[in-house]
Amino acid sequence: MSSPAPFNEELWFAIAEPSRRKIIEVLLLKGEATASRLADDVPFSRQAVSKHIAVLKRAGLVKERKTGKEVRFRLSPEGLSVAAQELSRAAMLWDERLQKIKHIAETLPQEE
């Protein structure tokens, strides 16, 4: 039996932080925003937004588009698809583990 492919560490690191999940949520609702606009919608500074955006970009979850002097950020559909697949795979692995635990528990001798 071969071992499963390793998890996408960069993706898990990116989505593990609640502040980055908040940025994802805001971008889902707004579609696209500058770092300054994002900072208006989250409880942390524009500088922190920029740092979190950099992590999300490295994980492939956010893309940027330059319009003049302005940089606008949006979610990457491809990145979100990869994230959904990764989360689905993790859920499947946990379900398999829980089934094994259940099987072990059911086959243990019962005390009367």
Side-chain angles (χ1 to χ4, degrees):
M1 178 168 129
S2 67
S3 62
F7 282 109
N8 181 334
E9 293 294 327
E10 212 157 32
L11 173 70
W12 285 99
F13 177 76
I15 62 176
E17 168 62 43
S19 298
R20 288 192 280 274
R21 291 195 308 270
K22 180 65 177 171
I23 291 172
I24 291 170
E25 179 185 335
V26 171
L27 288 174
L28 278 169
L29 295 172
K30 290 192 179 246
E32 191 175 69
T34 64
S36 296
R37 289 292 300 237
L38 285 168
D40 291 341
D41 293 325
V42 294
F44 41 92
S45 70
R46 186 199 176 289
Q47 187 176 22
V49 166
S50 295
K51 289 180 180 181
H52 289 306
I53 286 288
V55 173
L56 293 169
K57 282 174 44 182
R58 279 194 304 273
L61 294 169
V62 170
K63 291 185 176 184
E64 68 179 37
R65 177 174 66 92
K66 294 181 182 180
T67 55
K69 292 182 180 182
E70 198 174 65
V71 179
R72 301 181 66 76
F73 301 99
R74 69 185 186 285
L75 292 175
S76 164
E78 300 86 5
L80 291 176
S81 178
V82 169
Q85 291 170 9
E86 187 84 357
L87 291 169
S88 178
R89 186 167 73 99
M92 184 182 69
L93 289 172
W94 275 106
D95 284 346
E96 288 173 6
R97 288 178 182 170
L98 289 172
Q99 288 300 318
K100 288 177 184 176
I101 292 169
K102 179 181 177 187
H103 175 73
I104 291 168
E106 290 173 347
T107 57
L108 288 173
Q110 300 294 318
E111 290 185 26
E112 302 270 335

